[in-house]
């Protein structure tokens, strides 16, 4: 009968990696304790270091800037739409006057 896989949350993975990196618990001990393959542990470690720069980025600043740019673009689009509508209304009124309608 197959053993069901344990799926670790990102927080659990970081906790396991922290035990190795900070508490100096050997990989073999962690893997035995958690019944984890060492290749999986080293894969997590690789992912952790590859994505470590994301921890120091300010996602709110970039998203706020992106939102401000989007708002500015939408406001410009609205202004353009209003200008086109006003021109069309002027032409419509002029046409009605030229045809003798009130």
């Amino acid at each position: 009968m197959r053993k069901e896989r344990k799926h670790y949350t990102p927080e659990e993975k970081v906790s396991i990696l922290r035990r190795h990196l900070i508490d100096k618990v050997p990989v073999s001990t962690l893997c035995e304790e958690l019944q984890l393959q060492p290749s999986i542990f080293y894969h997590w470690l690789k992912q952790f270091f590859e994505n470590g720069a994301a921890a120091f980025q300010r996602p709110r600043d970039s998203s706020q800037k992106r939102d401000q740019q989007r708002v500015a673009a939408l406001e410009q689009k609205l202004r353009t739409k209003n200008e086109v509508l006003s021109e069309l209304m002027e032409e419509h009124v002029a046409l009605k006057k030229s045809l003798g309608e009130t």
Side-chain angles (χ1 to χ4, degrees), residues 55-70:
F56 297 106
Q57 291 177 347
R58 294 185 180 186
R60 290 182 292 168
D61 291 344
S62 62
S63 66
Q64 284 177 350
K65 188 174 185 179
R66 190 174 35 241
D67 290 344
Q68 288 173 349
Q69 290 172 343
R70 185 167 185 252

Side-chain angles (χ1 to χ4, degrees), residues 58-98:
R58 294 185 180 186
R60 290 182 292 168
D61 291 344
S62 62
S63 66
Q64 284 177 350
K65 188 174 185 179
R66 190 174 35 241
D67 290 344
Q68 288 173 349
Q69 290 172 343
R70 185 167 185 252
V71 167
L74 290 172
E75 287 174 345
Q76 179 59 38
K77 188 175 182 179
L78 186 59
R79 276 192 295 274
T80 304
K81 178 193 71 93
N82 288 340
E83 290 171 4
V84 169
L85 280 175
S86 70
E87 289 175 13
L88 287 173
M89 287 303 295
E90 283 180 31
E91 291 176 11
H92 178 71
V93 169
L95 183 62
K96 282 178 82 173
K97 284 184 181 180
S98 69

Side-chain angles (χ1 to χ4, degrees), residues 17-58:
L17 293 173
R18 179 179 292 142
R19 286 182 60 198
H20 171 68
L21 296 170
I22 296 175
D23 299 338
K24 305 293 186 208
V25 177
V27 175
S28 58
T29 305
L30 286 172
C31 290
E32 285 177 18
E33 178 183 317
L34 300 168
Q35 297 178 348
L36 182 68
Q37 292 292 321
S39 61
I40 299 292
F41 177 85
Y42 287 113
H43 178 71
W44 291 351
L45 191 61
K46 180 182 175 191
Q47 282 183 321
F48 182 72
F49 283 114
E50 285 176 352
N51 298 319
F56 297 106
Q57 291 177 347
R58 294 185 180 186

Side-chain angles (χ1 to χ4, degrees), residues 3-20:
K3 183 178 174 183
E4 190 172 318
R5 285 185 177 186
K6 166 79 168 114
H7 294 281
Y8 293 95
T9 65
E11 292 81 13
E12 290 173 324
K13 292 176 183 179
V14 169
S15 175
I16 293 166
L17 293 173
R18 179 179 292 142
R19 286 182 60 198
H20 171 68

